[in-house]
Amino acid sequence: MFSRVIIFSGKGGTGKTTISAATAAHLAEQGKKVLIISTDPAHSLGDVVCRSIDRTRPTELAPNLYALEIDTLYEARQSLSGLQNYMENSYRKQGVSGPAAAELADQPGLDEIVSMNRLMEEAQSRRWDVVIVDTAPTGNTLRLLAYPELIVGGTTGATMVKAYKGIFKVVKSISKEESANERYFNQVNRLIEIMRQLNHFLLSNAVTIRLVLNAEKLAVEETKRAYTFLSLYGINLDGVIVNKLYPHGAEDAAALLGLPGEGQNQQPTAPGPYFDKWVSLQNQHFQDIENSFAALPLFKSYLQRNEPLGVEQLAQLGALVYGVVDPAARLNQHRTIWVEDVKGNSLISRNLCLRLPFVEQSDQPVELQRVGEEVIVNFGRIQRKINLPRILNQAEYIGSSYHDGILKLGFGAVLPVKVSATPTSKAASRYADDPFKVD
């Protein structure tokens, strides 16, 4: 079991650090014990809460509210120091200088893994009612969330793990440096197990993503791409927050600036002609946002009279953003992938359904390929290999259709079992427990 985890992401400069901190402070005021974690290498969380934050243990900011800025170097030393030391020594034996060997030993994706592992450990500790995560800008966040599955997901990952274990047995039996090699392989085993656990963790009901954007064209387009990516990878998106909105009129401006209302000595004034154009543009983009993310809860955050800094002001902002909605709740129950029965079709008996928004708005085609017990989905620069559930393993793939944001892969009659001269791997996949519900 995990604590409730809410991960905030968005284009750089949209204010996601402020919104994630406001959510955390608001929840803490409601009596929830909250930890807010920053995984952004350019940590700005401390600047927003106006406090110095420890990078190894949670810092108490206020009653029920704690913060942590993850230090990936420290986390890597704590979790996988043996692996890095072995790799560094191996490069040095080949004549590589010390600094260069240390750089080469820093394996790609290791920062993402150790950051997510620390997050998972905090969620597993049950010390917190809610864990809020402030991430790097969108691109890095998507890599952070997808990396575990890219390594261990699908039958390719299972085959790689099996091959690695075979190599381990051979090397262990012939190695003259048994202790060093054994430490290395044990560390790699641990790394693979961490990624398996992260795969399960990110797809659990405890974890959801919320996207923060501004009512601007570039931010809207990037958020749409993130929505498609998250949906393809089966990661639950449960809210969109539109931040830094200008007030729409005199009354709104007066309320935000704290001015008296009608009939008072000082009459409220509109933002002014300079901002009228910006308000109009924001209104246009907001209409696009409402249409694009209609299936998701949508929240607004207006520019305040002062920059929201410190726990007290952040808690006030959080209350304004969420209103009567419980920020800790899972706000969207839509499934991202499921199987449905098909009636009245002589060819197709079941559909594998993937929620994949904005495909029809792109000039990039969706490419599908059935390879054994996997379906490979390519969309632009995104690829995912999906293990078929058992009820479709031996079924014939008929074709696909796309409508209203749902990609449907049709499967028909059960194919005859082919006898192969090469034994196939039966390594467990992430769908081994067959969690699909047939409608």
Side-chain angles (χ1 to χ4, degrees):
M1 292 294 292
F2 302 108
S3 301
R4 176 73 172 96
V5 178
I6 307 170
I7 301 174
F8 285 85
S9 181
K11 187 177 181 295
T14 57
K16 58 183 174 45
T17 299
T18 298
I19 293 297
S20 58
T23 304
H26 180 43
L27 283 168
E29 273 203 346
Q30 292 180 331
K32 299 279 198 310
K33 190 173 183 182
V34 182
L35 172 67
I36 179 168
I37 293 179
S38 171
T39 63
D40 188 347
H43 297 295
S44 58
L45 180 59
D47 299 330
V48 170
V49 298
C50 303
R51 286 281 304 278
S52 176
I53 297 175
D54 200 295
R55 299 194 175 191
T56 60
R57 63 181 65 187
T59 300
E60 185 174 8
L61 303 178
N64 296 319
L65 182 61
Y66 296 76
L68 174 67
E69 292 183 336
I70 291 180
D71 181 342
T72 54
L73 293 176
Y74 170 80
E75 297 297 334
R77 287 195 298 268
Q78 291 293 106
S79 302
L80 300 166
S81 58
L83 172 62
Q84 289 186 299
N85 289 338
Y86 182 92
M87 297 297 293
E88 187 174 338
N89 290 333
S90 297
Y91 284 120
R92 284 178 174 173
K93 288 178 182 178
Q94 300 300 316
V96 179
S97 66
E103 286 293 325
L104 290 170
D106 188 10
Q107 298 299 301
L110 200 60
D111 286 357
E112 287 85 354
I113 293 168
V114 297
S115 294
M116 293 305 295
N117 186 51
R118 179 61 189 270
L119 165 60
M120 182 173 65
E121 288 176 346
E122 293 293 347
Q124 285 175 323
S125 73
R126 305 296 292 174
R127 294 174 58 194
W128 321 103
D129 296 316
V130 185
V131 178
I132 302 292
V133 187
D134 172 41
T135 63
T138 311
N140 288 342
T141 301
L142 299 183
R143 186 177 71 166
L144 178 84
L145 297 172
Y147 201 81
E149 179 172 306
L150 292 175
I151 299 300
V152 299
T155 57
T156 302
T159 302
M160 181 198 75
V161 173
K162 184 180 179 182
Y164 157 75
K165 289 183 176 178
I167 293 170
F168 174 39
K169 290 180 181 178
V170 172
V171 172
K172 187 176 179 180
S173 64
I174 64 175
S175 175
K176 295 180 181 179
E177 300 180 13
E178 182 176 351
S179 60
N181 282 322
E182 188 163 355
R183 285 197 302 273
Y184 166 71
F185 280 107
N186 285 339
Q187 288 277 290
V188 177
N189 273 329
R190 171 167 166 71
L191 182 61
I192 290 172
E193 181 56 30
I194 286 173
M195 287 189 286
R196 285 193 184 281
Q197 292 176 7
L198 286 174
N199 227 1
H200 172 71
F201 167 65
L202 290 171
L203 296 170
S204 69
N205 288 331
V207 180
T208 60
I209 312 292
R210 290 181 191 165
L211 297 176
V212 180
L213 73 159
N214 302 143
E216 301 167 356
K217 182 176 177 58
L218 296 181
V220 173
E221 294 305 314
E222 184 167 318
T223 305
K224 288 179 182 178
R225 288 193 292 271
Y227 189 9
T228 304
F229 180 99
L230 293 168
S231 298
L232 180 59
Y233 272 84
I235 299 171
N236 298 300
L237 179 61
D238 81 331
V240 172
I241 297 103
V242 188
N243 193 29
K244 300 182 182 179
L245 288 170
Y246 291 117
H248 289 178
E251 294 294 338
D252 289 337
L256 291 169
L257 292 171
L259 298 176
E262 293 285 348
Q264 305 280 335
N265 293 331
Q266 185 177 6
Q267 296 296 323
T269 57
Y274 174 80
F275 289 97
D276 288 346
K277 175 65 174 177
W278 287 104
V279 170
S280 176
L281 284 173
Q282 281 195 338
N283 286 339
Q284 293 175 33
H285 292 307
F286 191 81
Q287 289 298 316
D288 185 16
I289 293 168
E290 284 190 310
N291 295 333
S292 301
F293 302 98
L296 297 169
L298 186 63
F299 301 94
K300 300 178 184 179
S301 176
Y302 288 92
L303 285 168
Q304 303 298 301
R305 60 186 301 185
N306 296 308
E307 189 175 2
L309 297 173
V311 172
E312 183 178 350
Q313 290 187 42
L314 289 167
Q316 293 172 2
L317 176 61
L320 290 173
V321 170
Y322 291 100
V324 298
V325 175
D326 178 8
R330 184 185 167 102
L331 302 177
N332 177 33
Q333 301 298 330
H334 287 150
R335 292 170 293 176
T336 56
I337 182 168
W338 67 97
V339 174
E340 66 178 10
D341 280 333
V342 178
K343 298 178 181 179
N345 190 315
S346 59
L347 294 177
I348 299 175
S349 58
R350 287 193 176 104
N351 285 324
L352 176 64
C353 305
L354 289 82
R355 193 175 302 279
L356 204 61
F358 309 123
V359 167
E360 74 281 0
Q361 300 177 15
S362 173
D363 56 1
Q364 298 284 344
V366 177
E367 299 175 353
L368 300 166
Q369 184 181 7
R370 165 81 181 270
V371 180
E373 297 180 0
E374 283 184 341
V375 171
I376 302 173
V377 183
N378 287 287
F379 178 59
R381 291 175 291 177
I382 307 172
Q383 182 188 84
R384 186 186 178 194
K385 296 180 179 180
I386 302 173
N387 280 74
L388 292 174
R390 282 192 292 268
I391 55 175
L392 299 179
N393 269 348
Q394 303 302 324
E396 181 182 7
Y397 173 59
I398 303 297
S400 66
S401 63
Y402 182 84
H403 179 68
D404 198 23
I406 308 295
L407 177 65
K408 295 188 176 183
L409 283 62
F411 291 82
V414 174
L415 295 170
V417 178
K418 296 181 179 180
V419 179
S420 173
T422 305
T424 57
S425 169
K426 293 185 178 180
S429 74
R430 55 174 284 205
Y431 294 126
D433 295 332
D434 221 12
F436 294 84
K437 178 182 178 184
V438 178
D439 293 332

